[in-house]
Amino acid sequence: MTVSPNSDVQIDWRSAVRTGLIGAAVALFVCVVGIVPVFHQRALIKDIISLGQTVLVLTALGIGARGARAARATGARSLLPAMLAAGIAGGALTALILVGQVINLRGVFLNASPDLYDLLTFGLGASGAWIPLVSFAAIGTLGGPVASLPTAFRRPITTAVLTLLLAALFAGIFRSAMLTTPLAATARVLFAPVGLTVIGAIALVIAFAGGRELLAYTHVRQRVSALPRVQRRVVLWPIYGVLALAVLVMPQTLGPFVAQVVALVALYVLLGLGLNITLGLAGLLDLGFVAFFAVGAYTVGLLTSTAEYGIADWPFWAAVIPAVLLAMVFGAILGLPILGIRGDYLAIATLGFGEIIRVLAGSDLLKPFLGGPRGILNIPKPIDVPPDHILAGPNQIYYIALICAALIAFVAWRLRASRLGRAWLSIREDEDVAEALGVNLVQTKLLAYMLGAAFAGLGGAIFAGLIGSIFSSSIQLQVSINVVAIVVVGGMGSIPGAVLGAVFLIGVPELFREFSEYRFLFYGMALIAMMLYRPEGLIPTRFATRELHLDATQTGGEALLPPTEAG
Amino acid sequence: MPLLVAKGITKRFGGLVAVRDLDLEIEPRSIVSVIGPNGAGKTTLFNCIAGWYRIDAGEIAFEGQMISKLRRDQIARLGIGRTYQNIRLFAGMSVVDNVLVGRHHFLQAGWIASVMRTRGVQEEERKAHDEAVRLLRFVGLEGGVQSQASKLPYGDQRRLEIARALATEPKLLMLDEPTAGMNPAETHRMTEFIGRLRDELGITILLIEHHMRVVMGISERITVLDYGEKIAEGAPREIQANPRVIEAYLGRGAATAHHSTRPQPDPGTGEAPAP
């Protein structure tokens, strides 16, 4: 047996205990806040394990792994510290159950109920209080060695767990979508109404974890990127084609609820791409983006509504152009006085403008014109079709938003590579030096601000068409914050990043309405994790990646070099 | 007629007078150095000329036009370029894009034409790109023009900063310690290169420099600042013999003790000793 170089290092028991205490706080938190009980309603694998139990298992594994790492122990030596850390966390749950028998905790923690205790003890209640302690310690013990496994073993485990979690979360949607197609029989085999079937779980794990390993072992990625350009296209274009087709048929196959959600996602993609010019390229942090969204929406409302407050009865499309232009004019009016200020101060000023517009829209002052909280109703659909038509309902908004987003992506892509894009980037990097090189700051910033405003106005116009009405309560600070988060999470200045950001931050939460109570909790956790582990965004621009992962690419490059001299 | 005339310029920061009642004239196609101990107001002078600071008194004229009230971009367009004591590249942009930002105001494309990528825009971009690559070769940057600016070695970053300034087609180029942090061989190459800027491109150079060998070697005139005031001005030979300069650099005692010695560069660093 080889002695690992670490084996003479003392195991740091104190750190393991500390990790255990932190883990105890986490375990208590997820239980009494109610995450575990709510997730217990859904199955991961039908009749075998619920999502709530999965949360507990993953917590125990995680605490074990962290405990072993904190104790600086690897391999067989990691078993004891991992067991200790996870045991402390499990002990906290045991203590919770015992305390709960004596004192009624429900006055403060609604979820500290007998239901929770039954969940934790497999229905045994107080007499099974020892179960969390023992099961956490047992599962946590596994976490230690798992964490010190080499990547080749750890990767398939990670893939399998992620596959199961995602598949189980989306099982209902997949199932109902496939039931209307020839795949109905397959759907019944793979998916239960909530969660996966045993066969489904096994099949999906083999397909995804196995497939990923196959791709990794055969070096498909490297081979494809090593191909000459023409051949690479031959390989990649069919893949893009299939993806594009999937995007096109998505609202048709997944039902009206999902269609509504994807339409909202497409709308936020559009807004994200708009702010990507202002914030991503020019670096102007605009927290009042919703103001221009409001201008676009209300303009369309006023010009098209057939109900009260409507002034022109225009068709939808005729109203879009003045909506966009008016948003641009507002961008200029609001932008001119404030673009001289920088950074945080600009953010505060734009935040103020956004709030002013929001308050004005709901105010008594403008009520005779904008309808106040009652809003403007009866905004016509962009395309008038019978209700059973392929373009009826949210589907048509989805396609319209998709086309507009594609258009904006094209505009943003072209601008980025132009002299204006370079000027914006230089302002983001160092505006003093940019000005000293002859870049007119006011002009250049104003253009970025106005273009962003125009795209927000377009988004507002489409939103008005989607909802069919516009209320002052639709104009919320939350919209601005969502859009900023999309740009930052996706990757500043990155066009595919804005798309992915919108899918993650808008689409996924919408699909899990039943967990909506915890939406901001997960939002916050996701944002903190992003800033810690991937500050450049999900799909960063070229240089941002290099900046943060240079070491990895350099060593990789050296390893690929052939030996130049023999002995 | 001088290219740049500064008359009685004064810059205060609160109670501190960073530049006091300073006169400066720079002849076209000359190389002028500004020297002085740390904190003498050299970089402040640059910032006043380039429009980074509003001067509190006095006037600056460039080719007969008053520039002391103009914005930085307007001054840059008139033909004053500069580099920075601490290199200030656009670190996240590519090498060639850094230079192309300097070409910005020579290009016409508006946002609609840029989105359409009209024939005119394509032609303009291609020309600007060729010009940028030519400038990069001129300053001696071979290598990939698409690599990230901050990944360049230190000396190349200084060169890139000069190429970026040259892209604005300056008549007056202000270099703030271009040889700072360079070894003797690099310093020698940079000195030669500054000479070429004047001889081949006809650019007037205003230089802040601590390496006395560089200053004495290439300057036609030298202005010496101390505590924001001009204490001497003249050809290198006159400056080296000027007792006030020696006093500023070495202190009064040294000046009286070795009144015949010149401010010799420190043989180790080539840098004049600071007080």
Side-chain angles (χ1 to χ4, degrees):
Chain A
M1 187 186 148
T2 51
V3 180
S4 84
N6 292 357
S7 61
D8 52 331
V9 178
Q10 275 293 314
I11 293 179
D12 188 350
W13 293 104
R14 281 178 60 148
S15 294
V17 170
R18 195 186 306 135
T19 310
L21 290 174
I22 296 171
V26 172
L28 284 175
F29 180 80
V30 293
C31 287
V32 299
V33 161
I35 295 174
V36 170
V38 169
F39 275 57
H40 192 55
Q41 313 293 326
R42 280 224 198 173
L44 180 76
I45 302 168
K46 194 171 176 286
D47 300 332
I48 294 193
I49 184 169
S50 76
L51 275 177
Q53 288 163 335
T54 314
V55 169
L56 288 173
V57 168
L58 290 178
T59 308
L61 273 176
I63 295 167
R66 298 292 307 189
R69 193 178 297 170
R72 274 176 272 134
T74 53
R77 287 161 52 86
S78 68
L79 290 172
L80 275 178
M83 185 165 84
L84 175 69
I88 293 173
L93 293 181
T94 297
L96 172 74
I97 296 169
L98 293 176
V99 170
Q101 306 305 315
V102 185
I103 309 167
N104 186 6
L105 295 172
R106 297 187 73 178
V108 186
F109 301 110
L110 276 182
N111 289 294
S113 65
D115 290 346
L116 175 67
Y117 304 148
D118 282 347
L119 192 167
L120 290 173
T121 57
F122 299 106
L124 288 178
S127 59
W130 52 274
I131 290 178
L133 172 65
V134 173
S135 54
F136 256 63
I139 296 167
T141 311
L142 295 175
V146 168
S148 53
L149 279 179
T151 325
F153 292 99
R154 212 171 50 206
R155 190 178 50 203
I157 296 176
T158 323
T159 321
V161 170
L162 280 178
T163 308
L164 285 180
L165 278 179
L166 287 176
L169 282 172
F170 289 101
I173 293 162
F174 287 146
R175 188 169 187 265
S176 58
M178 285 162 76
L179 282 181
T180 57
T181 65
L183 295 171
T186 324
R188 285 202 187 85
V189 174
L190 292 180
F191 302 114
V194 281
L196 300 168
T197 59
V198 179
I199 302 173
I202 296 170
L204 287 172
V205 163
I206 291 175
F208 280 87
R212 184 170 171 194
E213 290 312 298
L214 198 68
L215 286 182
Y217 279 117
T218 51
H219 302 289
V220 170
R221 241 168 218 259
Q222 291 88 323
R223 282 196 205 170
V224 168
S225 55
L227 284 178
R229 213 175 163 159
V230 182
Q231 289 182 38
R232 199 165 61 211
R233 278 188 191 166
V234 173
V235 178
L236 289 180
W237 280 26
I239 299 177
Y240 293 150
V242 170
L243 280 179
L245 198 69
V247 167
L248 280 181
V249 301
M250 192 154 52
Q252 304 289 346
T253 50
L254 295 183
F257 170 64
V258 180
Q260 179 94 20
V261 172
V262 288
L264 196 67
V265 169
L267 187 71
Y268 267 101
V269 168
L270 195 160
L271 292 174
L273 288 171
L275 189 66
N276 212 358
I277 293 179
T278 322
L279 172 62
L281 292 185
L284 305 170
L285 181 48
D286 183 355
L287 288 180
F289 209 55
V290 73
F292 310 120
F293 179 85
V295 170
Y298 272 103
T299 308
V300 165
L302 286 173
L303 290 177
T304 64
S305 172
T306 53
E308 204 183 354
Y309 308 117
I311 53 173
D313 285 348
W314 285 14
F316 178 84
W317 292 108
V320 166
I321 295 158
V324 170
L325 291 179
L326 201 62
M328 234 172 151
V329 170
F330 262 75
I333 295 171
L334 299 189
L336 262 180
I338 60 170
L339 286 178
I341 49 183
R342 298 181 186 198
D344 306 348
Y345 305 104
L346 179 70
I348 304 283
T350 53
L351 183 68
F353 274 129
E355 286 300 280
I356 289 171
I357 297 276
R358 181 181 70 83
V359 171
L360 273 182
S363 67
D364 287 340
L365 177 73
L366 291 180
K367 201 175 173 192
F369 310 102
L370 301 180
R374 278 177 52 218
I376 303 173
L377 306 173
N378 283 1
I379 296 169
K381 291 283 164 205
I383 306 166
D384 198 16
V385 289
D388 56 340
H389 191 271
I390 187 172
L391 282 179
N395 287 359
Q396 83 169 248
I397 296 296
Y398 172 72
Y399 291 118
I400 290 170
L402 202 65
I403 291 166
C404 289
L407 192 77
I408 293 178
F410 176 78
V411 169
W413 171 64
R414 279 285 175 86
L415 283 176
R416 205 193 137 88
S418 74
R419 78 187 256 274
L420 292 163
R422 285 193 301 265
W424 287 331
L425 281 175
S426 72
I427 290 175
R428 189 180 92 181
E429 295 267 334
D430 190 335
E431 65 174 78
D432 294 321
V433 173
E435 188 179 50
L437 287 167
V439 176
N440 184 327
L441 290 185
V442 171
Q443 226 176 35
T444 316
K445 283 182 177 182
L446 193 62
L447 182 62
Y449 203 65
M450 285 170 69
L451 286 174
F455 292 145
L458 181 61
I462 293 173
F463 178 79
L466 169 72
I467 307 291
S469 49
I470 178 74
F471 309 102
S472 62
S473 61
S474 307
I475 312 305
Q476 285 181 344
L477 175 63
Q478 184 62 38
V479 177
S480 300
I481 292 174
N482 279 342
V483 181
V484 170
I486 286 171
V487 173
V488 173
V489 167
M492 292 264 279
S494 157
I495 291 168
V499 178
L500 201 64
V503 170
F504 264 86
L505 294 179
I506 305 301
V508 174
E510 283 295 321
L511 288 179
F512 301 117
R513 276 284 167 83
E514 54 192 290
F515 307 132
S516 62
E517 221 178 312
Y518 306 105
R519 185 168 175 167
F520 288 103
L521 190 68
F522 291 122
Y523 225 80
M525 273 161 46
L527 285 182
I528 292 170
M530 280 294 299
M531 290 302 111
L532 281 178
Y533 300 112
R534 221 179 147 82
E536 74 274 24
L538 289 173
I539 307 183
T541 50
R542 187 162 61 113
F543 286 139
T545 331
R546 282 201 205 164
E547 186 86 352
L548 289 150
H549 300 285
L550 187 75
D551 298 340
T553 50
Q554 269 183 348
T555 45
E558 279 164 15
L560 289 175
L561 284 178
T564 47
E565 282 177 12
Chain B
M1 190 183 102
L3 182 69
L4 183 109
V5 182
K7 272 210 180 75
I9 59 173
T10 298
K11 177 67 199 171
R12 295 187 199 91
F13 297 106
L16 176 84
V17 185
V19 173
R20 188 195 301 272
D21 198 20
L22 184 84
D23 296 330
L24 182 70
E25 286 193 5
I26 301 174
E27 293 298 326
R29 292 181 68 94
S30 62
I31 298 180
V32 177
S33 288
V34 180
I35 63 170
N38 291 328
K42 305 182 295 290
T43 300
T44 305
L45 172 65
F46 269 29
N47 283 334
C48 290
I49 296 174
W52 288 57
Y53 297 152
R54 290 272 158 272
I55 51 177
D56 297 307
E59 263 166 6
I60 305 171
F62 183 71
E63 294 189 304
Q65 187 182 348
M66 292 302 162
I67 60 167
S68 39
K69 296 216 162 41
L70 298 183
R71 287 193 314 269
R72 283 175 292 205
D73 57 313
Q74 294 169 317
I75 293 172
R77 283 162 202 235
L78 287 176
I80 299 182
R82 68 172 295 185
T83 64
Y84 303 88
Q85 194 175 343
N86 311 310
I87 304 175
R88 288 177 78 167
L89 291 172
F90 303 122
M93 296 169 71
S94 71
V95 169
V96 70
D97 278 358
N98 264 274
V99 180
L100 282 170
V101 173
R103 301 297 302 166
H104 179 80
H105 66 270
F106 296 103
L107 308 180
Q108 306 292 327
W111 73 271
I112 296 177
S114 294
V115 171
M116 300 296 176
R117 199 169 282 174
T118 57
R119 218 168 258 271
V121 172
Q122 288 178 26
E123 180 70 4
E124 179 182 274
E125 279 289 311
R126 197 183 50 75
K127 272 191 186 153
H129 190 272
D130 291 349
E131 172 69 14
V133 172
R134 198 185 61 76
L135 277 173
L136 286 168
R137 301 293 174 250
F138 178 76
V139 301
L141 275 173
E142 301 298 334
V145 298
Q146 291 298 344
S147 52
Q148 189 176 354
S150 61
K151 294 288 171 287
L152 290 179
Y154 180 81
D156 284 354
Q157 293 195 13
R158 286 238 174 252
R159 277 175 230 284
L160 175 55
E161 212 185 25
I162 294 176
R164 185 178 69 179
L166 289 177
T168 65
E169 299 184 5
K171 298 175 185 119
L172 171 67
L173 180 60
M174 304 195 289
L175 302 172
D176 198 340
E177 297 193 29
T179 68
M182 288 188 171
N183 65 32
E186 288 174 324
T187 302
H188 180 71
R189 283 217 305 275
M190 181 56 79
T191 313
E192 277 187 347
F193 177 70
I194 294 170
R196 277 178 63 204
L197 287 177
R198 194 264 307 267
D199 299 339
E200 293 178 23
L201 302 180
I203 297 174
T204 310
I205 307 282
L206 182 61
L207 184 70
I208 295 177
E209 191 47 72
H210 280 301
H211 283 82
M212 283 304 143
R213 207 169 282 150
V214 177
V215 172
M216 296 303 163
I218 59 171
S219 316
E220 271 116 34
R221 293 189 72 76
I222 297 172
T223 295
V224 189
L225 298 186
D226 192 24
Y227 294 108
E229 286 186 77
K230 182 160 76 179
I231 57 167
E233 188 172 32
R237 213 167 260 283
E238 300 160 24
I239 295 300
Q240 281 172 319
N242 188 317
R244 285 198 68 187
V245 177
I246 300 164
E247 186 189 315
Y249 269 93
L250 299 177
R252 183 170 294 276
T256 44
H258 314 278
H259 62 274
S260 63
T261 53
R262 297 160 182 177
Q264 286 298 326
D266 179 337
T269 60
E271 198 165 300

